[in-house]
Amino acid sequence: MTTIADNLQGVLARIAAACAACGRDPGEVTLLAVSKTFGPEAVREAAGTGQRAFGENYIQEAVEKIALLQSLPLEWHCIGPIQSNKTRLVAANFTWAHTVDRLKTAQRLSEQRPADMQPLQVCIQVNLDGGATKSGVAPSAALGLAREVMQLPQLRLRGLMTIPEPAADFAAQKATHLKAKALFDEMREAGVPMDTLSMGMTGDLEAAIAAGSTMVRVGTAIFGTRERLSAKA
Ligand SMILES: *Cc1c(COP(=O)(O)O)cnc(C)c1O
């Protein structure tokens, strides 16, 4: 059986190889370890290897874990849907929120961010596939939302985030990720100061890096297969 530490090394090696294959510096790509459904001990083991950034989907589960691990210098990223009744918990407990896709959510996060904390670092989630039930703003609405978010005092806009539909092969994965990269570049040229493109997971991180991802969110390849697909919401 491999350990979390071995798995993390393996993922870092995948990131390094993917960067080498497209001539990028591995220092440009941050690994976000997605620890949803895994307990605090798994996070502690990963943190022991130097991993700092952890991603969580289920707010209530995350808040408990964050409290238990308060003594570690970790950075927590909210990557799950943010319902209105959860914005206060997100604002008070996380360093980043990747899944902002409505102005109302952004406003609540800014209002509820405790004054003694740094601004919440946010990404706008973009829906590139057009799937009707998926969260994320339409690409055509991303620039408008970004400009509104930039006005909110307790938020700091960092970039875009996407969760594409699973695609069959590298070329198809990369094609979708390239759409995100094109939107990212377009928005930056339009004057939105962003440095983060959050895309790529266990199954498609190489394609995401080839397309320009700066943050890959990896769960399964680090912690193993999840048993509960949706636990405490
Ligand atoms: C669960 C999840 C991940 C990690 O997915 P893996 O395929 O396990 O690497 C990344 N991003 C989001 C938004 C997720 O919900």
Side-chain angles (χ1 to χ4, degrees):
M1 225 184 85
T2 53
T3 65
I4 289 170
D6 294 332
N7 291 343
L8 261 171
Q9 269 203 343
V11 170
L12 291 171
R14 278 177 67 184
I15 292 171
C19 286
C22 61
R24 294 185 61 196
D25 174 354
E28 292 172 16
V29 181
T30 300
L31 172 58
L32 182 59
V34 177
S35 46
K36 64 184 177 202
T37 80
F38 291 93
E41 287 319 307
V43 174
R44 207 180 278 284
E45 186 176 345
T49 72
Q51 178 65 29
R52 284 287 164 269
F54 290 85
E56 291 280 340
N57 284 57
Y58 312 110
I59 313 301
Q60 196 62 48
E61 176 198 351
V63 166
E64 288 165 24
K65 229 179 277 183
I66 292 168
L68 287 168
L69 296 167
Q70 241 170 5
S71 60
L72 299 178
L74 304 181
E75 185 182 280
W76 293 95
H77 295 235
C78 176
I79 60 170
I82 307 173
Q83 268 105 38
S84 292
N85 63 353
K86 293 280 168 28
T87 50
R88 190 174 296 279
L89 284 175
V90 173
N93 289 280
F94 286 86
T95 310
W96 285 65
H98 290 224
T99 43
V100 171
D101 63 357
R102 287 191 305 161
L103 179 57
K104 181 164 166 257
T105 306
Q107 286 168 333
R108 289 174 66 96
L109 289 170
S110 181
E111 281 160 18
Q112 294 168 346
R113 182 70 166 173
D116 60 345
M117 292 177 83
Q118 298 286 318
L120 183 66
Q121 314 291 301
V122 305
C123 293
I124 291 176
Q125 184 177 352
V126 181
N127 180 350
L128 294 164
D129 307 304
T133 61
K134 283 185 44 178
S135 39
V137 289
S140 59
L143 180 59
L145 180 56
R147 291 203 161 120
E148 304 261 26
V149 168
M150 284 165 64
Q151 308 300 317
L152 296 171
Q154 284 291 80
L155 302 188
R156 176 151 174 245
L157 181 64
R158 295 296 298 270
L160 301 180
M161 180 270 205
T162 65
I163 315 175
E165 291 294 340
D169 56 35
F170 182 88
Q173 291 168 354
K174 188 175 165 189
T176 309
H177 289 311
L178 280 171
K179 287 192 210 169
K181 170 68 166 152
L183 178 63
F184 180 72
D185 288 345
E186 211 177 280
M187 288 173 65
R188 287 183 2 143
E189 275 157 31
V192 180
M194 304 188 292
D195 61 8
T196 301
L197 188 50
S198 165
M199 62 185 190
M201 319 201 310
T202 292
D204 64 352
L205 72 87
E206 284 83 1
I209 288 171
S213 170
T214 71
M215 193 178 290
V216 291
R217 310 177 307 261
V218 179
T220 307
I222 297 171
F223 296 105
T225 306
R226 288 179 293 273
E227 288 178 7
R228 296 174 294 157
L229 281 182
S230 69
K232 310 159 219 173

